[in-house]
Amino acid sequence: FEKISSYECGFEPFGDSHSIFNIQYFVVGILFMLFDLELAYLFPWVLNLGNLSIFSFFVMFLFLFLLTIGFIYEWNKGALDWL
């Protein structure tokens, strides 16, 4: 019985282990990973800010602009709202 049980830690299962989760949890998780990984691109840019050319400075601001547009789009679509 222990091997076919949902939990092998000794606790009695208190519900079905194959319950359906709200898709909103996954959407928020994916959006968090997306915007969190995009912030990782800012660290090298900030560390080398004094050594960058004008072109790379404006390219990074274009990147930040597109990231902001994506964030505003997701906010307007309601992907960050909890129901």
Side-chain angles (χ1 to χ4, degrees), residues 1 3-4 9-12 15 22 29 34 39 49 58 62-63 65 67 69 83:
F1 174 74
K3 287 294 184 183
I4 62 171
C9 61
F11 292 112
E12 291 294 322
N22 189 355
L34 175 74
L39 285 176
L49 192 57
F58 286 117
L62 176 67
F63 173 75
F65 176 72
L67 186 65
I69 294 296
L83 296 177

Side-chain angles (χ1 to χ4, degrees), residues 33-83:
M33 287 183 359
L34 175 74
F35 288 111
D36 191 42
L37 289 175
E38 299 298 332
L39 285 176
Y41 288 119
L42 291 177
F43 289 119
W45 180 67
V46 169
L47 293 176
N48 294 319
L49 192 57
N51 301 332
L52 294 178
S53 66
I54 296 297
F55 176 72
S56 19
F57 186 76
F58 286 117
V59 165
M60 195 58 181
F61 270 108
L62 176 67
F63 173 75
L64 288 175
F65 176 72
L66 292 175
L67 186 65
T68 305
I69 294 296
F71 182 72
I72 291 170
Y73 175 77
E74 292 297 328
W75 194 333
N76 286 337
K77 287 299 241 181
L80 303 176
D81 295 335
W82 291 100
L83 296 177

Side-chain angles (χ1 to χ4, degrees), residues 23-37:
I23 193 69
Q24 189 70 23
Y25 295 121
F26 297 111
V27 170
V28 169
I30 290 171
L31 289 175
F32 173 75
M33 287 183 359
L34 175 74
F35 288 111
D36 191 42
L37 289 175

